[in-house]
Amino acid sequence: MSAGTVPESRTASEGHTMTIGGEAVHAPGAFGVVDPATGEVAEHAPDASRAQLDAAMAAAAAAYPAWRRDEAARREALLAAAEILFARSAELGRIITLEQGKPLADAALEVVGAGVWLRYFAGLETPTEVIQDDGAARVEVVRRPMGVVAAITPWNYPLLLAVWKLAPALLAGNTMVLKPSPFTPLSSLRLGALLRGVLPPGVLNVVSGGDELGAWMTAHEVPRKISFTGSVATGRRVAAAAAPDLKRVTLELGGNDPAILLDDVDPAAVAARLFRGAFQNNGQVCSAIKRVYAPAARYAEVVDALAECARAARVGAGTAEGVQYGPINNRPQYERVGELVAEALAGGARAAAGGGPMDGPGYFFEPTILADVTDGVRIVDEEQFGPALPVVPYTDLDEAVARANGTHFGLSGSVWGTDADRAAEVAARLECGTAWVNTHLALSPSQPFGGHKWSGVGVENGPWGLHGFTELQVIHRSKL
Ligand code: NAD
């Protein structure tokens, strides 16, 4: 475990076990998992040794030949997994709330969403394409599995993002070693335990540990593919580690999504949706709205409408009744959001709502709307990944589009206006993987999701995401 990742370590991980070769496995060491609502270590998770990672990789490799052969069994197993998630949404949701912080209802929804993803992939067909069939030859393009996939996930949607990887990877015929974030390992460990009954041993192995466990995975000789979701900085390390062995990579990285409001926007009508697009999961969403560009003529109205939403938001422990937004997940992130907000305020920005941390234990932060702020300030230029939203005025639309695109990020963005066709034309000019019109964060299992520029390599979801877990093969049969 790398120093500073999680604050405490001891040798027992209570009931939380890893899954290796279909067996429950304890580790020689353990690390503390903090409840972000209290800031205290609440549980311990196994800290996998290198030998245990080797065992997980060996189990995945051993399970691969049989698993890749039986497509019907794979579909059946994914459906059974979906049913388990639907049935266990409350139990898994409580684990997510404990380790991640989000309200219980949102956590249960995350689990149900993961079930929906599993069910979608269980039914997704991968037809063979025939690109030539004449007197000379029959040429087919088929998709083959790759082997063992190493999956590495972040802490914002620990279960859903794991399933975004395992559902298509397993459907395609691959086997997997999954490593969750050290901040949120418990839900993935529990997932591994629950799926021991429906997946053959070795098909899904779940190991937990610190960042260096991820580095060991990416340098390991067994996996042919690394599917990673996390920060740009780590994504670069993953790509570099994959290069010597030419492992395939899918990288889902950070974003700094702009929302551009056109001059015909009705601030009162869109404020609640804009607010949700920015503050869902307490702003800890890769493709949340992270900066709003508002026409100068409507600027005050937009700021006021968003500030009103922020003041009405109910923040508290995820286990408390009626809470809409929980704490920030972890101390480094809590400190980073605080620092970005404080720096903007010191530079002349105005807190139209919120503006700082909340009293008491835990990593609670006031839902914050920052006005009188512009590009060049870090909270506008960088990914804040938390409950603080800068609103930037503009006078010229072309300039607003240029500023929206003037970043290394390119995950997603949105354009808002009463004339939806005009808004769609502006959205088409955004340099990003998903450009929404009059909405934000609308995702589905069939809709490909990925980033342009530094926001990622490859996509997840839909047939395109499935293809990312395959190698293309041409079968060319001569008829001559
Ligand atoms: P992170 O990069 O710090 O960690 C992500 C995972 O990588 C963790 O499991 C971590 O242990 C592991 N890791 C750390 N160092 C590693 C290394 N050298 N080699 C291999 N693995 C290593 O990211 P985070 O703080 O957990 O997550 C927040 C970031 O994730 C934000 O930037 C957010 O935008 C991004 N994110 C992107 C998406 C997307 O789909 N594009 C979705 C969610 C989050």
Side-chain angles (χ1 to χ4, degrees), residues 2 5 151-157 161 164-165 179-184 209-219 226 228-235 237-238 241 251-256 284-287 290 329-330 333 383 385 409 411 449-451 455-456 460:
S2 57
T5 313
I152 301 174
T153 53
W155 46 258
N156 57 342
Y157 286 89
L161 295 180
W164 279 25
K165 301 184 186 313
K179 186 204 86 69
S181 164
F183 293 112
T184 53
D211 292 349
E212 79 274 15
L213 179 60
W216 295 345
M217 288 169 75
T218 56
I226 302 166
F228 172 82
T229 302
S231 63
V232 173
T234 309
R237 284 183 210 113
V238 169
L251 305 175
E252 293 287 1
L253 308 178
N256 189 12
Q284 302 163 116
V285 187
C286 50
S287 53
K290 305 225 168 88
N329 173 255
N330 58 74
Q333 188 59 26
E383 181 184 38
F385 214 65
F409 291 109
L411 194 53
F449 179 75
S455 287
E460 295 191 295

Side-chain angles (χ1 to χ4, degrees), residues 108-130:
L109 258 184
E110 176 175 345
V111 182
V112 170
V116 169
W117 250 258
L118 279 162
R119 206 163 51 186
Y120 166 80
F121 279 106
L124 183 63
E125 297 291 338
T126 44
T128 293
E129 287 176 67
V130 180

